[in-house]
Every structure is written in structure tokens, then in C-alpha cells.
């Protein structure tokens, strides 16, 4: 019996020693060169030309003189940098922004009609269903609308605050409300002002996407672009085809590949945010080293960097060029030897990886919507001179409005464009109205 116990004890000690040896060897493994290079690339913040409007965007919902917004943003950045590390368990007191010193501009009061959704057509009909209610809502939103309109004077929106998981986002929702106000203007007879306003919203959407500042900003930009395009075409459908367009509309809906060009910087920006989250968690765990026993922050950041950097590589560029849906490869295997000492990090990286391609599809769809709007405007511009059947005219559209993988088809009184993103309750088709003067029945 004693011999058996000695054998068992030796087996247990040997097993423990082997586990410790494997752990130490796994922990000592250097970061693979490819992962280190991917991490280095996502941590480079690209330079953007022109004026940065982030301070004005950040303060747009508060009654703040825009001339003071830059100084307040600098103060906010200084205060955030001095805060203790973020505590994921909620032990840190909630942060109070310097903007809380200033009143919030009025939004929709209780009982007011709802703002139009960016993914829902028919905003003009909704507004016309309650003219008095939407007129009152527009009046209440005047100050906010003026501030939103002023944002289009900036060239880009680059967040200069320290990256922390616990800070509030800019009030992007306020931007999405502006389309309802343009619909109210149009329905009340302010046609040209409404057209100029909806094109300004589309321009702002383009800049949010092109800034590549964060995933959320680009997704808000893509949604605002979709809503702006739908409302713009809806407005023009009710006007004769020779109604002059405001000067800002051509550039706002130009087909220039800006949406797909933003996929790479947007994903790298999201990678910087994820890396900052890893490092913040590590700083919060300094007093509890057991918390990082199976989490190596830098190895996790490097391991996850490829998830984001893939969207800047040759495979992604080829898919974007062919307008094929982006399908990023599977994440690195969690069974790798390096994961023994970094099991938590490998699990986190594996969990985050599959989601990002869906966001990239939104930007591919945004680019396709621009081509569809370009086609619609081209048909409009040539409506008086081109007597060919609509289907023939659509087939003859300029190459700039074509996709290598998706076509624009005519179904009844709509132009239909296939979308790649799957949204609940939608059939992956975007529709633009075909008015009588476009179809030929109104000539």
C-alpha cells in the first residue's frame, strides 16, 4: 500500500511539474512576427487632411458656444487621462463629463411624433400624416438643426479623447433626427431648403465613414447615408425631372469608392479600441495578478490584431474590387501551444473575430447604394431626351454605376438593388421608386 501511495504521489507531482513546465514554456513564447507586425499596423493612426470637427460633434447636443468646444474637449481629454484604470467590475465611480455643466438642447418631448427611422422608407408620408405635430417638433429642434448643419463645414471627425471603454460616445442619434426635419421642410413647401438639407446630411454621412475613426461612427455614417439617399430620391420622385438640384447634392452622392476605401481604416481603428480595452483591463488588474494568470495582454492584442488588419490585405482588396461579400477567415486556433498560458486571451480573440465581416458588408452595401442613386440621377438627367425603354436605359448606364457582382433590376415601380447585409425583417433588397416620368408613362 505504501508503494502504491508513493507511486501515486510521484505521478501527481510529475503531472503538476509537467503542467507548470508547459505553462512556463507557453508563457515564454515570443509574439509571432506576423502578429507583431499586424499589431504595429493597427496602432498607426493615419493622418487626415483638413479641419477636424470632432469637438463640435462631441458637443452638438449641448448649449455650448462652438468656439469653446475645442478647449472643453482638451479639458475632457486631460481629465480622462488622469483617471484610474477602468474597472470592468464596476468598482470605478461613473465619469461625469465636462459637458454636464451645460444644458442639453431640447429633443423630442413625451407625446411628440416619432422621428423617421434610417432603415424605413416613407418618411414624407409619415410627416404628412401629422403636419402639426411635426411642425412643432421641427420648431423645437431648430437650435440642434443649426448645429448639425454647421458640422458639414468640417473635413473629418477624428476622436482625440484617450481610448477608454467607459467613456460616452458622441451624440450620434441627434444626427439621425435631422432627416425628419428635412422631410417636414419638404412637406411644408420649403422644397429647395429641404433638398439642400438632405444632401448636407448625406455629406456628413460620407465624412463620418471616410474618417475611419471608429466602427460605431462608420456604421452611423452608413445608416445616415442610407436614410439620406432614400429621402433624397423620395423627394425628387415628387418633382419634375428638370427641377434644379442644390450645388451640394452632386458631391454628396458622388460615386467615388469612399465607403469601401474606409473599410480598412475603420477596422484598424476598431483594433486600436480593442487593444486599449485589453490594456485597460490589465491596468485594472495590477493589484490582482491572479486575474492575468491566463491572460497575456500584449499577446492577446497581437493575436487579435490580424482580425482587424485582414481587412487591409490582398484578399479583402480583391473581394472589394470584385464587389464580392467579405468573408474573413476563421480566427486562430484556440488549441495553439501559446494558448496554454493565455487561455482567456485566446478565447476572447476567438469570440470577437466572426462579427466584423458583417460590419464591412454594410460599407460594401453603402457603396452599392451610391451606385444605385447615381444610376437614378443619371436616368433623371436624361429623362427628357432618352426615349428608350427603362430596362434598356438601365443596362446602358455608365460603368461608374455598375458592380461586377450585383445588378440593378426593375420590379414594378421600383429599381431594386441586392444587399449583402442580412437585417431582421428585411429581404436584402434596397428599393428606389420609379416615377412616371422615369418609366415613360408620364411623358
Amino acid at each position: 500500500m505504501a508503494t502504491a501511495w508513493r507511486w501515486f504521489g510521484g505521478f501527481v507531482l510529475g503531472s503538476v511539474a509537467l503542467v507548470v513546465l508547459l505553462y512556463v514554456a507557453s508563457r515564454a513564447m515570443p509574439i509571432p512576427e506576423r502578429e507583431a507586425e499586424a499589431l504595429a499596423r493597427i496602432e498607426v493612426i493615419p493622418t487626415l487632411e483638413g479641419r477636424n470637427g470632432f469637438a463640435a460633434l462631441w458637443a452638438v447636443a449641448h448649449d455650448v458656444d462652438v468656439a469653446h468646444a475645442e478647449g472643453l474637449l482638451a479639458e475632457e481629454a486631460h481629465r480622462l487621462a488622469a483617471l484610474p484604470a477602468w474597472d470592468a467590475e464596476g468598482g470605478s465611480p461613473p465619469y461625469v463629463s465636462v459637458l454636464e455643466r451645460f444644458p442639453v438642447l431640447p429633443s423630442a418631448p413625451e407625446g411628440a411624433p416619432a422621428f423617421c427611422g434610417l432603415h424605413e422608407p416613407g418618411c414624407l408620408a409619415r410627416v404628412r400624416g401629422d403636419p402639426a405635430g411635426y411642425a412643432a417638433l421641427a420648431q423645437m429642434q431648430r437650435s440642434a438643426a443649426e448645429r448639425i448643419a454647421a458640422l458639414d463645414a468640417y473635413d473629418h471627425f477624428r476622436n482625440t479623447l484617450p481610448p477608454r471603454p467607459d467613456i460616452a460616445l458622441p451624440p450620434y442619434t441627434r444626427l439621425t433626427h435631422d432627416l425628419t426635419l428635412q422631410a417636414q421642410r419638404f412637406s411644408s413647401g420649403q422644397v429647395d431648403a429641404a433638398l439642400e438639407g438632405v444632401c448636407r446630411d448625406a455629406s456628413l454621412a460620407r465624412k463620418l465613414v471616410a474618417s475611419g475613426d471608429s466602427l460605431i461612427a462608420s456604421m452611423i455614417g452608413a445608416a445616415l447615408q442610407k436614410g439620406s439617399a432614400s429621402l433624397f430620391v423620395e423627394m425628387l420622385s415628387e418633382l419634375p425631372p428638370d427641377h434644379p438640384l442644390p450645388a451640394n447634392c452632386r458631391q454628396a452622392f458622388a460615386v467615388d469608392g469612399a465607403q469601401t476605401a474606409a473599410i480598412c481604416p475603420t477596422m484598424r481603428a476598431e483594433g486600436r479600441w480593442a487593444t486599449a480595452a485589453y490594456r485597460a483591463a490589465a491596468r485594472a488588474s495590477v493589484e490582482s495578478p491572479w486575474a492575468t494568470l491566463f491572460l497575456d495582454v500584449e499577446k492577446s492584442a497581437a493575436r487579435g490584431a490580424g482580425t482587424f488588419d485582414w481587412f487591409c490585405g490582398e484578399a479583402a482588396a480583391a473581394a472589394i474590387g470584385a464587389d464580392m461579400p467579405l468573408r474573413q477567415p476563421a480566427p486562430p486556433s484556440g488549441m495553439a501551444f501559446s494558448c496554454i498560458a493565455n487561455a482567456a486571451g485566446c478565447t476572447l480573440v476567438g469570440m470577437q473575430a466572426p462579427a466584423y465581416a458583417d460590419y464591412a458588408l454594410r460599407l460594401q452595401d453603402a457603396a452599392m447604394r451610391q451606385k444605385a442613386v447615381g444610376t437614378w440621377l443619371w436616368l433623371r438627367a436624361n429623362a427628357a431626351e432618352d426615349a428608350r425603354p427603362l430596362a434598356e436605359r438601365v443596362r446602358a448606364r455608365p460603368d461608374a454605376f455598375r458592380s461586377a457582382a450585383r445588378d440593378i433590376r426593375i420590379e414594378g415601380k421600383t429599381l431594386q438593388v441586392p444587399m449583402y447585409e442580412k437585417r431582421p425583417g428585411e429581404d436584402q433588397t434596397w428599393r428606389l421608386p420609379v416615377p412616371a416620368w422615369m418609366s415613360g408613362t408620364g411623358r
Side-chain angles (χ1 to χ4, degrees), residues 24-293:
V24 171
S26 175
R27 195 77 171 183
M29 287 183 67
I31 295 174
E33 183 178 1
R34 185 173 63 178
E35 294 180 2
E37 290 173 351
L39 180 59
R41 284 192 293 268
I42 71 169
E43 293 196 298
V44 173
I45 300 176
T47 301
L48 295 175
E49 300 295 329
R51 297 173 64 210
N52 184 6
F54 183 79
L57 171 62
W58 169 73
V60 77
H62 287 78
D63 189 9
V64 177
D65 186 340
V66 71
H68 299 151
E70 290 284 356
L72 290 169
L73 183 66
E75 180 183 349
E76 185 95 332
H78 178 75
R79 292 178 61 193
L80 286 168
L83 282 180
W86 172 64
D87 183 354
E89 301 300 323
S92 302
Y95 177 72
V96 179
S97 170
V98 298
L99 289 175
E100 295 302 316
R101 304 172 192 164
F102 303 90
V104 177
L105 294 175
S107 185
E110 186 176 350
F115 291 101
C116 297
L118 298 182
H119 301 288
E120 303 168 1
C123 189
L124 289 178
R126 177 193 285 257
V127 169
R128 286 167 177 155
D130 185 3
Y134 280 101
L137 182 64
Q139 181 64 27
M140 180 171 291
Q141 296 286 315
R142 282 186 61 186
S143 295
E146 290 172 0
R147 290 173 178 271
I148 292 169
L151 291 176
D152 193 39
Y154 296 96
D155 299 292
H156 64 270
F157 301 93
R158 169 64 56 77
N159 190 342
T160 55
L161 295 173
R164 290 177 60 99
D166 56 337
I167 62 173
L169 293 169
Y172 293 118
T173 303
R174 290 296 184 107
L175 307 186
T176 69
H177 292 169
D178 198 60
L179 290 179
T180 305
L181 308 187
Q182 306 309 333
Q184 190 279 329
R185 279 182 173 180
F186 187 88
S187 64
S188 66
Q190 303 175 64
V191 171
D192 292 325
L195 288 172
E196 183 178 0
V198 77
C199 291
R200 189 169 52 240
D201 287 335
S203 174
L204 184 56
R206 289 170 66 91
K207 292 173 184 178
L208 283 172
V209 172
S211 296
D213 183 63
S214 68
L215 187 61
I216 183 63
S218 289
M219 294 304 102
I220 291 292
L224 183 57
Q225 180 248 26
K226 181 180 180 181
S228 301
S230 293
L231 182 58
F232 179 59
V233 172
E234 189 178 353
M235 289 175 173
L236 292 183
S237 295
E238 298 188 5
L239 300 172
D242 59 352
H243 187 96
L245 294 178
N248 67 331
C249 290
R250 292 294 180 186
Q251 182 57 36
F253 293 100
V255 177
D256 57 6
Q259 290 78 17
T260 50
I263 291 174
C264 169
T266 294
M267 292 303 174
R268 282 180 171 167
E270 184 67 10
R272 287 192 293 276
W273 186 92
T275 299
Y278 283 132
R279 291 169 178 164
R283 287 193 298 272
S285 304
V286 167
E287 296 180 3
S288 178
W290 293 105
T292 56
L293 185 63

